[in-house]
Amino acid sequence: MLNIKNIHAQVGDNKILKGLNLEIKPGEVHAIMGPNGAGKSTLGNVLAGMEKVEVTEGSVDFLGKDLLDLEIEQRAAEGIFLAFQYPVEIPGVNNMYFLRAALNAQRKYRGEKEMNSSEFLKLVRTKIKQMNMRDDLLRRPVNEGFSGGEKKRNEIFQMSVLEPKLAVLDETDSGLDIDALKIVAEGVNQLRNKDRSFIVITHYQRLLDYIVPDYVHVLADGKIVRSGDKSLALELEKTGYSWLED
Amino acid sequence: MSEQIEAVEQENAEVHKRIEQTYKDGFVTDIDSDTFLPGLNEEVIRAISAKKEEPQWLLDWRLKAYAKWLTMEQPNWAKLKIPPIDFDAISYYSSPKSNENAPETIDDVDPKLLETYAKLGVPLHEQEILAGVKTKKTQVAVDVVFDSVSVTTTFKKELKKAGVIFCSFSEAVKDHPDLVKQYLGKVVPIGDNFFSALNAAVFSDGSFVYIPKNTRCPMELSTYFRINEMNTGQFERTLIIADDGAEVSYLEGCTAPMRDENQLHAAVVELFILNDAKIKYSTVQNWYPGDEEGKGGIFNFVTKRAACNGNNAKVSWTQVETGSAITWKYPSCILRGDNSRGEFYSVALTNNYQQADTGTKMIHLGKNTKSTIISKGISAGKSHNTYRGLVRISKRAEGARNHTQCDSLLIGKNCGAHTFPYIECGNSTAQLEHEATTSKISEDQLFYCKQRGISEEDATSMIVDGFCKEVFKELPMEFAVEAKALLDISLEGAVG
């Protein structure tokens, strides 16, 4: 579903990705690990289309489309979802209202009928139940005054409503205590199926105890330098990344 | 929760319906008008007074104001660049000819005028409005001011049953001279400022409201101001009196055609609130703002003031200012009665080359008086948006309280937001709070919205709407919809 070939990307003059290759098939979960500054978050931002990240070389094919040719919101409607490391606050804008606007914008793009409020409400209720979440977040403004854990939960909830084809979780575990981590991981696992793929960016093996990946990649200095199965994560936990310098 | 969403849903449908053109109200009504030649002198004032068949005392009052105006200078303390105004190039009176034999009922009003208001979405046919009741639309009585004259006032009979007087200013002078004489110019004296003095000299019409004792006005009252003629100024006066225990909600809307020349609108609004009475005054100001290069547009120089003369009196100003090339306006509250309360909720949006210098004055005189100021300024394009406010606590205002919140939102790199809060405190028991923020719509916010599938334009309007929420919730529902739509229209071209 996703084929990244020889991607080079930079922010300003700072070259971050330097020839990254990655192929993901439907239903697969790929974990991306690696030291600080390796370019993990930049990979997510390249896929989402962040303007300040400039792709200078390479290609990204997503379900037969040239992803780099699409606008940010088009990519979202095509099925790319980025769970932000730092979810953004939008004061005064009701979370439900925001989410319905997002869903309907995507549906409109795909030529599907927009959801009216009662249909949407029904959907939200089902999802809340599925995800074992409380609905108090919904009535509040988008991420405003949310705790770190609440923000991350809200990201996963948005994902469950938008039902993307490929979800990129950018350090979704950072700043979470173990209980919050479990809730978030459970949410992600609920959404795993044979068609939906995940890229899980993380520093710690801990998250991968709960979201078990099919593949683990080590990203260093803008390239994937090693790939393996979940045992690679355990190995990294022991050895750290110092071997990279050899 | 579902009701909430439905309300939002409905609102959005309305909003989108209204965002079809940039300035949708910019058309001209082709109508024969009786328009004075441009120029200002005593003769013109006498002529206006004669047209209105005014009593001598009112003519004397006008002439006194004119004499005072001649000695005054146009104020220049505001953070505005005002091109010189040639007061002799303005026509001070323009009336649709068909209006000469003052139409008694709506059926006598020129169809062209009715068409104009239908286009603007102002309901004038009472039957239609009554029919609208079934579809849950609120009933609103409207006074319609076209250039210099009031064209019609709806629901007069129904209001009369409740003892409420709602009519054009000219009618009030004829039918209720004692009330007019008692209150006119008592809160905004003729020499108050340059523009109010000019208004006192040449005002041609406006609305008059009197709510009798212990009466809650059975419907919302509204005045719709329209400037149509070229080179005319609009100078109207609104006078509202809420007697002991009375209550009224009043709405005001304004539009004008798109023209390359600037036009002057210098209005005066006076409110009197007696013991235990309440006035809620809401404005959606959408005068033509000029084009993208800053050509044309209305100069909106307005004096609005409320006197809470009674104990426990309450006044609330809510304004949404999106129009006008230049806005100079400070709706104020004089809190004379003990325990009286003043509120000011404002959203002012400027885009392109618009300039706004707006805010409020809260004058605390009585004991335990309270005031609240919430001001939201949004600047886009190359515009400048200024909040200017005064909170004055007099010596004898024991236990007075004020809370001020002043937020500015900047869109783009070429606009400016300025805040000038003045505080004068003469009593040590007073409690004053002031909060202020300045923010920008951040790239992070836009990226976040877009990543969820929302376009940049929709994201911007959503963020601005969220920013204004505290003020919008003070507006009557239908006005809130209008206000949201206006913000979206006014922001067009501000993004990207």
Side-chain angles (χ1 to χ4, degrees):
Chain A
M1 84 173 349
L2 180 76
N3 199 350
I4 304 176
K5 277 190 191 152
N6 190 34
I7 279 292
H8 291 253
Q10 58 191 56
V11 176
D13 291 334
N14 191 9
K15 293 190 169 68
I16 300 174
L17 297 182
K18 302 167 182 170
L20 183 140
N21 294 288
L22 182 64
E23 197 185 342
I24 295 178
K25 295 201 172 65
E28 291 178 350
V29 175
H30 290 242
I32 307 277
M33 303 183 73
N36 289 327
K40 299 190 297 293
S41 290
T42 303
L43 172 61
N45 290 336
V46 163
L47 294 177
M50 187 189 252
E51 277 133 355
K52 67 179 176 204
V53 181
E54 187 194 347
V55 176
T56 52
E57 212 184 315
S59 67
V60 180
D61 179 281
F62 180 62
L63 297 165
K65 287 194 174 140
D66 178 0
L67 192 68
L68 301 181
D69 217 28
L70 300 177
E71 300 292 330
I72 304 169
E73 58 268 36
Q74 292 175 327
R75 297 179 193 203
E78 291 287 346
I80 301 249
F81 180 91
L82 176 64
F84 282 60
Q85 183 178 0
Y86 303 107
V88 181
E89 300 188 6
I90 309 179
V93 177
N94 176 281
N95 218 355
M96 285 278 280
Y97 173 72
F98 173 78
L99 193 50
R100 195 160 73 87
L103 181 64
N104 276 338
Q106 294 197 14
R107 292 177 69 99
K108 201 171 164 189
Y109 172 86
R110 296 192 292 256
E112 297 162 16
K113 203 175 142 272
E114 290 179 44
M115 272 197 183
N116 66 30
S117 45
S118 63
E119 289 165 340
F120 180 72
L121 191 66
K122 221 163 153 187
L123 174 74
V124 163
R125 289 221 170 102
T126 324
K127 295 290 179 185
I128 285 271
K129 222 169 163 187
Q130 252 176 38
M131 311 293 290
N132 268 326
M133 288 187 188
R134 293 202 319 259
D135 62 1
D136 54 334
L137 297 184
L138 297 174
R139 292 185 202 133
R140 288 159 53 186
V142 182
N143 293 321
E144 195 186 9
F146 284 25
S147 71
E150 284 174 332
K151 282 183 181 169
K152 298 298 173 77
R153 267 198 292 157
N154 194 28
E155 294 291 287
I156 302 304
F157 177 70
Q158 290 184 8
M159 177 167 81
S160 78
V161 170
L162 296 174
E163 302 184 323
K165 298 193 176 97
L166 171 70
V168 182
L169 311 185
D170 188 3
E171 298 199 21
T172 298
D173 53 335
S174 69
L176 291 190
D177 61 35
I178 192 73
D179 294 329
L181 183 73
K182 276 185 192 164
I183 293 173
V184 164
E186 212 172 287
V188 171
N189 288 329
Q190 290 266 359
L191 296 170
R192 280 178 82 159
N193 65 32
K194 65 175 178 33
D195 299 317
R196 184 172 293 133
S197 312
F198 291 85
I199 294 175
V200 181
I201 296 168
T202 181
H203 269 290
Y204 302 105
Q205 193 273 332
R206 189 179 67 160
L207 177 67
L208 304 179
D209 284 342
Y210 300 99
I211 304 174
V212 182
D214 299 305
Y215 299 95
V216 175
H217 308 279
V218 177
L219 181 57
D221 195 25
K223 274 184 245 177
I224 288 178
V225 294
R226 231 183 121 181
S227 298
D229 61 13
K230 60 183 178 186
S231 63
L232 177 58
L234 290 167
E235 190 189 322
L236 291 172
E237 181 88 343
K238 287 196 199 104
T239 60
Y241 297 108
S242 55
W243 53 273
L244 284 171
E245 284 156 28
D246 301 338
Chain B
M1 195 159 63
S2 90
E3 267 173 31
Q4 247 181 35
I5 301 168
E6 261 161 44
V8 169
E9 161 96 348
Q10 261 180 10
E11 264 183 54
N12 276 347
E14 275 288 302
V15 166
H16 283 287
K17 219 166 62 196
R18 290 178 196 222
I19 312 176
E20 278 157 8
Q21 294 168 26
T22 38
Y23 187 76
K24 69 179 171 69
D25 303 331
F27 60 90
V28 179
T29 307
D30 182 15
I31 200 161
D32 274 344
S33 287
D34 172 14
T35 305
F36 281 16
L37 287 174
L40 182 55
N41 50 53
E42 262 193 42
E43 283 322 300
V44 167
I45 293 162
R46 285 179 196 280
I48 293 172
S49 190
K51 276 260 174 214
K52 308 245 144 212
E53 299 166 15
E54 283 175 356
Q56 186 63 38
W57 68 265
L58 192 51
L59 174 62
D60 293 344
W61 190 77
R62 286 175 180 277
L63 292 173
K64 205 170 135 196
Y66 178 64
K68 179 82 191 173
W69 179 75
L70 286 174
T71 67
M72 297 173 91
E73 299 265 329
Q74 190 175 324
N76 61 2
W77 42 261
K79 200 169 169 53
L80 299 171
K81 283 188 191 127
I82 306 174
I85 301 170
D86 180 355
F87 290 94
D88 280 322
I90 297 171
S91 164
Y92 290 85
Y93 185 85
S94 175
S95 159
K97 274 198 174 141
S98 52
N99 212 54
E100 266 176 5
N101 310 313
E104 281 290 314
T105 70
I106 190 90
D107 301 324
D108 305 331
V109 175
D110 187 328
K112 270 193 186 165
L113 287 178
L114 294 180
E115 206 180 292
T116 301
Y117 289 96
K119 261 196 200 171
L120 295 169
V122 179
L124 293 185
H125 277 103
E126 295 183 10
Q127 275 150 342
E128 279 169 26
I129 304 169
L130 288 170
V133 175
K134 285 180 200 144
T135 58
K136 278 189 187 166
K137 275 205 167 171
T138 357
Q139 219 166 303
V140 182
V142 190
D143 181 29
V144 175
V145 178
F146 193 87
D147 289 332
S148 305
V149 290
S150 169
V151 180
T152 184
T153 309
T154 59
F155 285 107
K156 263 191 196 165
K157 273 188 207 147
E158 284 75 3
L159 291 169
K160 207 174 172 186
K161 259 185 237 159
V164 171
I165 302 170
F166 178 40
C167 61
S168 73
F169 207 96
S170 315
E171 281 173 80
V173 171
K174 286 197 182 102
D175 301 342
H176 311 281
D178 295 344
L179 279 173
V180 174
K181 208 170 174 180
Q182 187 183 344
Y183 288 102
L184 178 68
K186 292 297 179 339
V187 61
V188 182
I190 48 177
D192 186 80
N193 68 68
F194 183 79
F195 294 109
S196 72
L198 176 64
N199 173 288
V202 302
F203 80 93
S204 42
D205 217 331
S207 300
F208 177 84
V209 178
Y210 173 79
I211 315 287
K213 279 185 183 152
N214 302 318
T215 303
R216 192 181 176 154
C217 187
M219 60 183 81
E220 300 206 319
L221 303 183
S222 152
T223 299
Y224 196 91
F225 295 106
R226 174 81 177 167
I227 298 178
N228 188 59
E229 270 298 302
M230 225 194 281
N231 300 325
T232 45
Q234 192 173 54
F235 306 91
E236 84 279 358
R237 277 190 98 90
T238 302
L239 179 53
I240 303 178
I241 302 140
D243 212 328
D244 291 349
E247 221 174 286
V248 64
S249 167
Y250 181 89
L251 324 170
E252 176 191 68
C254 347
T255 59
M258 295 194 230
R259 296 190 192 284
D260 287 347
E261 304 81 30
N262 295 112
Q263 282 180 288
L264 180 61
H265 172 254
V268 172
V269 175
E270 295 180 283
L271 311 184
F272 293 88
I273 306 104
L274 306 186
N275 290 315
D276 305 302
K278 274 185 201 163
I279 295 182
K280 183 176 171 65
Y281 194 104
S282 313
T283 305
V284 171
Q285 186 264 107
N286 184 30
W287 292 119
Y288 177 55
D291 68 9
E292 280 160 35
E293 268 83 53
K295 201 168 180 200
I298 302 289
F299 292 164
N300 188 37
F301 301 153
V302 170
T303 306
K304 292 183 169 180
R305 202 169 296 161
C308 284
N309 285 349
N311 294 336
N312 307 311
K314 184 182 169 187
V315 64
S316 165
W317 296 104
T318 306
Q319 61 172 21
V320 176
E321 304 277 321
T322 61
S324 297
I326 305 177
T327 296
W328 179 94
K329 179 182 166 187
Y330 316 90
S332 306
C333 304
I334 298 172
L335 304 172
R336 191 170 285 122
D338 290 346
N339 305 311
S340 62
R341 288 178 64 175
E343 294 171 352
F344 174 75
Y345 301 99
S346 169
V347 167
L349 180 146
T350 51
N351 194 2
N352 298 319
Y353 286 89
Q354 279 177 278
Q355 307 175 62
D357 193 303
T358 183
T360 185
K361 286 189 267 185
M362 293 292 175
I363 313 294
H364 291 255
L365 302 174
K367 290 193 183 82
N368 300 316
T369 45
K370 277 193 192 125
S371 62
T372 304
I373 298 171
I374 294 184
S375 161
K376 305 275 180 177
I378 302 149
S379 331
K382 296 184 172 146
S383 67
H384 281 270
N385 200 325
T386 300
Y387 167 81
R388 187 183 304 276
L390 168 67
V391 177
R392 179 185 291 153
I393 312 286
S394 78
K395 239 185 206 168
R396 53 190 180 87
E398 287 286 322
R401 293 187 68 161
N402 165 265
H403 176 78
T404 299
Q405 187 188 329
C406 228
D407 299 324
S408 308
L409 184 68
L410 299 164
I411 301 174
K413 294 184 180 117
N414 303 313
C415 53
H418 318 275
T419 307
F420 299 99
Y422 303 89
I423 296 173
E424 296 169 17
C425 187
N427 186 303
S428 60
T429 63
Q431 288 181 48
L432 298 157
E433 296 162 16
H434 184 93
E435 290 175 34
T437 66
T438 303
S439 53
K440 284 189 90 153
I441 292 188
S442 71
E443 278 180 29
D444 288 350
Q445 283 175 323
L446 290 175
F447 179 56
Y448 189 72
C449 293
K450 288 200 271 187
Q451 207 299 307
R452 296 299 183 253
I454 301 167
S455 72
E456 180 151 339
E457 222 171 81
D458 289 348
T460 306
S461 98
M462 192 183 269
I463 293 165
V464 168
D465 186 39
F467 176 75
C468 301
K469 191 131 275 178
E470 285 161 283
V471 174
F472 284 172
K473 73 173 202 282
E474 297 296 328
L475 286 171
M477 167 70 185
E478 288 183 29
F479 244 39
V481 171
E482 173 98 33
K484 256 174 104 165
L486 269 182
L487 283 197
D488 286 349
I489 293 166
S490 307
L491 274 174
E492 245 164 53
V495 202

